[in-house]
Amino acid sequence: MQLREVGMHVHDKRMALGITHAQLAKLAGLSRSTVNHLEKGSLEDIGFTKLNNLLSLLGMNFDVTQRLKKSPALKMAAQIASTSYRKILTSDILKNILSTGEVPEDYKAHVMTLLDEAPIPLVFSAIEATARATNMQTKKILRNVSNLAKSLHTHRAIW
């Protein structure tokens, strides 16, 4: 596959997630210009590590295929969010939180932990899994996550 084709898939995935060039660039440790040139097909070269990191953030690999549709992302995200807490956040509760943008009081710390400490590709995978399970647009769920991050005063600036 040519770098130009990879760029087209990156563009499609970024748009589906509803994130900007700048947000993706910040997450991947690249310049906004590099992401823009990759998507336009005008980037002549990018290192393996940089491209691999960018693709994994988007839940893609060098075959530019999405991770398995039945991924355990929600379950894994809920487990990570529950690690330090007595009360367990289930994947169904997490799916409800992400889809509605509303957090029950006793799960606020869990959601803060998820948004501040969980690997970003896992959070994106959980967002996508929620979108598939609820037939909602990924962009809408990402907006919910952004609003949750603001209301909970999380430290990770990406949301």
Side-chain angles (χ1 to χ4, degrees), residues 16-63:
L17 289 170
I19 60 177
T20 66
H21 284 124
Q23 289 171 316
L24 181 57
K26 185 175 181 179
L27 284 170
L30 301 171
S31 70
R32 186 202 54 76
S33 176
T34 298
V35 172
N36 186 36
H37 285 294
L38 173 66
E39 289 185 4
K40 287 189 336 187
S42 59
L43 187 66
E44 294 196 19
D45 191 27
I46 186 169
F48 171 82
T49 303
K50 290 178 182 178
L51 185 57
N52 187 45
N53 184 37
L54 176 70
L55 293 177
S56 76
L57 283 169
L58 296 172
M60 303 165 75
N61 60 31
F62 278 100
D63 291 330

Side-chain angles (χ1 to χ4, degrees), residues 80-148:
I80 286 174
S82 298
T83 299
S84 300
Y85 304 102
R86 187 174 304 209
K87 189 164 189 160
I88 302 298
L89 175 67
T90 66
S91 56
D92 286 334
I93 294 170
L94 178 58
K95 179 174 56 179
N96 186 51
I97 290 169
L98 296 177
S99 64
T100 64
E102 298 174 9
V103 186
E105 190 65 38
D106 45 347
Y107 290 110
K108 286 185 177 183
H110 296 72
V111 175
M112 288 177 67
T113 298
L114 177 69
L115 298 179
D116 276 339
E117 299 176 15
I120 293 171
L122 177 60
V123 178
F124 277 133
S125 292
I127 290 168
E128 288 181 310
T130 300
R132 282 191 306 275
T134 61
N135 292 319
M136 290 178 67
Q137 288 185 345
T138 307
K139 289 180 183 181
K140 171 68 174 139
I141 296 169
L142 192 55
R143 274 194 303 270
N144 289 345
V145 169
S146 178
N147 291 335
L148 287 169

Side-chain angles (χ1 to χ4, degrees), residues 1-9 38-43:
M1 179 171 287
Q2 299 292 324
L3 191 55
R4 180 177 171 87
E5 292 174 86
V6 172
M8 290 187 318
H9 289 290
L38 173 66
E39 289 185 4
K40 287 189 336 187
S42 59
L43 187 66

